[in-house]
Amino acid sequence: MSEPVIAADGRPLKASLNRALRRQKLRALALIAPLLIFILVSFVMPIADMLFRSVQNEIVGDTLPRTVVALDGWDAESDDAPGEEVFAALYTDMALAVEYKSHTRLGSRLNYETTGIASLFRKSGRRVSKFDTDVYTEAFQAADPSYADPAQWAEWMADDSIRAKLPVTANTYDDWAKMIIEAEGDVPGEEEPWDFVYTALYTDATNGAQLPVAVDVSDIAPVSLQQQFGDIDDKWLDPNIWRTIKTYAPKYTNGYFLNSVDLMKGASGVEARPENEQIYITLFIRTMIMSLSIMGMCVLLGYPIAWLLANLKDRTANLLMILVLLPFWTSLLVRTSAWKVLLQQQGVINDVLVWIGLVADDNRLELINNQTGTIIAMTHILLPFMILPLYSVMKTIPPSYLRAAKSLGATDWTAFWRVYFPQSVPGIGAGCILVFILAIGYYITPELVGGTKGVFISNRIAYHISSSLNWGLAAALGTILLTIVMVLYWVYDKIVGIDNVKLGG
């Protein structure tokens, strides 16, 4: 058996080479680590977090934990509101949520699904502390002074045997104590429990629990919390409100995605939204069609310009290239605003058309606040992104190829179509991808010149992020848009081949 080859460091040569290779890889990884971390923190993680919001739905369970559990026993298809135990759970949850100021955020979340819930939660938050449940507090404290002693309460709730006998009270006291520390900055052992803790104590007592100090609760008139909430607003007695809470109680939801395709979660499953609320499918289709139209217009306009630039003398071509690049040196807002002026019925374009006699003065074209305006303005804005890849590819096509084709008897059209055009396809592919992906994400130009008929789905995403604050729906719309782009990219790769896309060279 031959002896292994030994390196200069005394190790086997193979092991020494592997060690050196690992060091090189670690050194290379260390060099790119700062950039990799920067990309992960500033680009990947924010996008992942935003996409995760499309299914995140923790606010209902976190804000109304007892109510969600109590609603498990309620039939969502019932025509009646839930029973007293659900309203008792809601009372405690709402009293705590008001102190954390989370009830308004919960109302806003549920208002995305059922209009009017936001105002219902705000109104209830203002009045929940004024419920008649103080009769329980007064009755217990009158029966024995120890029920008014904060230190005694803290001692009771530290005793496991008492906690086991008073499950509702112990659970409620724990959350109250946590709220006292976090929201009020006080010490639970120095603060008298609030009314909802005594309400929980009354509930345990009526359920037969043994109280730390015996109290005859049969003399206490029960307070109907269902009636208390009903007095605030009779919407609390509407089963639809409770269906919404129960439907969106899980930690994760597909509700945002259903909303994005004009569907909704109903008591019996997925349902179509009312016809007057179905807008997103239309917007998705419109976005795709208009983006493809803009891409096609850019190809038609950009191809001859790129060909001219590639075949002129360098000095002349450079001067024309400045005109192509000029839009990059002008603000997008300025260019879009200029189109608002040009495209008006009393604007420059209509004036010229009337002056040359193509359009009657009393029948001027409607070029603004519709799809026509969006296509014209965005074609102008995105045209350089089509011209530059085309120019860089056409510049590499030798003119001798066309001359050779013509010398062999081909006509101008045959020489172009059979010889020149196939070589320019990589530039068309690169330009089409750039223009199409940029077009579906534009929202400033469609917003300014598109009116109600020329806006894209990106306008609704921007609206939900900045105005309605429905980030979940915005994330779902963005996820669907991203998926559509990836599918189209895959189809493009299968048909044209992404290897054929070149930006020059």
Side-chain angles (χ1 to χ4, degrees):
M1 187 174 178
S2 61
E3 294 291 332
V5 180
I6 303 301
D9 58 359
R11 298 170 181 269
L13 181 59
K14 185 176 181 181
S16 182
L17 289 174
N18 289 335
R19 187 183 182 194
L21 189 60
R22 280 198 302 273
R23 284 181 176 177
Q24 286 183 349
K25 289 180 178 178
L26 289 174
R27 193 179 300 117
L29 184 62
L31 288 173
I32 66 169
L35 178 61
L36 185 61
I37 294 172
F38 175 78
I39 292 174
L40 287 174
V41 172
S42 63
F43 186 70
V44 177
M45 291 177 64
I47 292 178
D49 177 69
M50 192 63 193
L51 295 181
F52 179 66
R53 290 173 185 271
S54 61
V55 295
Q56 190 179 27
N57 191 51
E58 296 173 343
I59 188 170
V60 180
D62 290 348
T63 309
L64 304 177
R66 298 169 183 80
T67 309
V68 169
V69 173
L71 275 174
D72 282 342
W74 178 66
D75 182 7
E77 297 186 4
S78 170
D79 293 331
D80 299 322
E84 185 66 22
E85 69 282 0
V86 175
F87 282 94
L90 176 64
Y91 168 57
T92 302
D93 288 338
M94 185 67 82
L96 289 167
V98 169
E99 297 304 315
Y100 285 114
K101 296 180 175 58
S102 59
H103 66 296
T104 53
R105 288 190 287 114
L106 173 62
S108 299
R109 163 67 187 95
L110 295 176
N111 200 65
Y112 300 146
E113 314 300 337
T114 302
T115 304
I117 290 188
S119 61
L120 180 63
F121 270 82
R122 283 197 300 271
K123 186 192 300 182
S124 302
R126 288 193 297 268
R127 295 179 55 180
V128 73
S129 62
K130 300 176 183 176
F131 278 8
D132 296 335
T133 51
D134 56 346
V135 297
Y136 299 137
T137 307
E138 295 169 356
F140 279 106
Q141 292 181 353
D144 194 293
S146 58
Y147 283 107
D149 183 3
Q152 183 63 65
W153 267 98
E155 184 179 337
W156 286 339
M157 291 298 105
D159 189 330
D160 290 339
S161 62
I162 295 178
R163 291 176 62 89
K165 296 173 184 175
L166 304 172
V168 179
T169 306
N171 179 270
T172 306
Y173 182 88
D174 288 347
D175 284 347
W176 171 81
K178 182 181 178 185
M179 179 272 295
I180 284 294
I181 296 171
E182 294 178 350
E184 301 293 327
D186 293 326
V187 179
E190 298 175 357
E191 297 294 323
E192 184 180 324
W194 293 7
D195 289 343
F196 62 86
V197 179
Y198 288 94
T199 304
L201 183 64
Y202 175 79
T203 302
D204 279 330
T206 53
N207 289 337
Q210 182 182 356
L211 300 179
V213 178
V215 175
D216 183 8
V217 296
S218 61
D219 294 336
I220 304 175
V223 177
S224 172
L225 291 169
Q226 186 184 49
Q227 182 180 348
Q228 296 285 306
F229 277 99
D231 290 342
I232 295 175
D233 196 315
D234 57 7
K235 286 182 180 176
W236 282 117
L237 306 180
D238 182 358
N240 287 326
I241 297 295
W242 293 99
R243 287 192 194 102
T244 303
I245 295 175
K246 185 171 183 176
T247 301
Y248 292 93
K251 191 174 181 179
Y252 301 102
T253 180
N254 59 358
Y256 292 122
F257 281 100
L258 293 175
N259 197 352
S260 300
V261 291
D262 296 334
L263 300 174
M264 60 186 292
K265 296 173 73 172
S268 57
V270 178
E271 304 172 356
R273 282 196 166 273
E275 193 169 343
N276 60 344
E277 297 179 10
Q278 297 179 6
I279 58 173
Y280 295 113
I281 291 292
T282 303
L283 281 175
F284 273 117
I285 294 174
R286 181 192 299 167
T287 301
M288 293 298 113
I289 292 176
M290 291 183 67
S291 297
L292 289 172
S293 301
I294 292 165
M295 184 187 74
M297 291 290 293
C298 287
V299 172
L300 291 176
L301 295 174
Y303 197 94
I305 297 174
W307 182 87
L308 191 64
L309 289 170
N311 290 279
L312 286 175
K313 293 181 179 178
D314 288 344
R315 183 176 179 182
T316 308
N318 289 337
L319 289 174
L320 292 178
M321 182 61 77
I322 292 175
L323 298 179
V324 174
L325 298 176
L326 191 60
F328 289 124
W329 304 334
T330 310
S331 165
L332 174 63
L333 195 59
V334 171
R335 282 180 280 161
T336 305
S337 301
W339 279 112
K340 283 186 71 72
V341 176
L342 293 171
L343 295 175
Q344 291 180 16
Q345 283 194 307
Q346 301 300 324
V348 176
I349 294 178
N350 264 308
D351 283 346
V352 172
L353 294 175
V354 171
W355 180 65
I356 62 179
L358 288 179
V359 174
D361 191 26
D362 57 350
N363 192 27
R364 289 174 174 246
L365 301 178
E366 294 184 5
L367 301 175
I368 195 72
N369 296 328
N370 51 30
Q371 296 182 12
T372 304
T374 301
I375 291 175
I376 293 174
M378 287 189 62
T379 298
H380 165 254
I381 290 169
L382 296 177
L383 190 58
F385 294 98
M386 179 65 72
I387 293 175
L388 294 177
L390 275 171
Y391 168 74
S392 62
V393 171
M394 289 178 176
K395 196 68 177 172
T396 64
I397 302 175
S400 58
Y401 287 6
L402 280 179
R403 292 197 296 269
K406 291 179 182 177
S407 68
L408 293 174
T411 63
D412 289 344
W413 169 251
T414 303
F416 166 76
W417 185 248
R418 302 290 294 275
V419 176
Y420 191 88
F421 181 77
Q423 297 181 80
S424 66
V425 167
I428 296 176
C432 287
I433 288 180
L434 275 176
V435 171
F436 181 76
I437 292 178
L438 288 172
I440 61 174
Y442 255 64
Y443 66 94
I444 294 177
T445 304
E447 185 71 30
L448 293 178
V449 303
T452 57
K453 299 290 185 183
V455 296
F456 286 4
I457 192 68
S458 50
N459 293 97
R460 295 301 296 180
I461 295 175
Y463 166 76
H464 287 305
I465 289 178
S466 61
S467 298
S468 73
L469 302 182
N470 190 352
W471 286 26
L473 180 56
L477 292 170
T479 303
I480 293 174
L481 195 60
L482 178 62
T483 304
I484 291 174
V485 171
M486 294 179 70
V487 170
L488 291 176
Y489 183 84
W490 178 79
V491 171
Y492 183 89
D493 184 37
K494 291 295 179 183
I495 297 175
V496 180
I498 199 64
D499 293 337
N500 293 324
V501 175
K502 295 180 180 177
L503 294 172

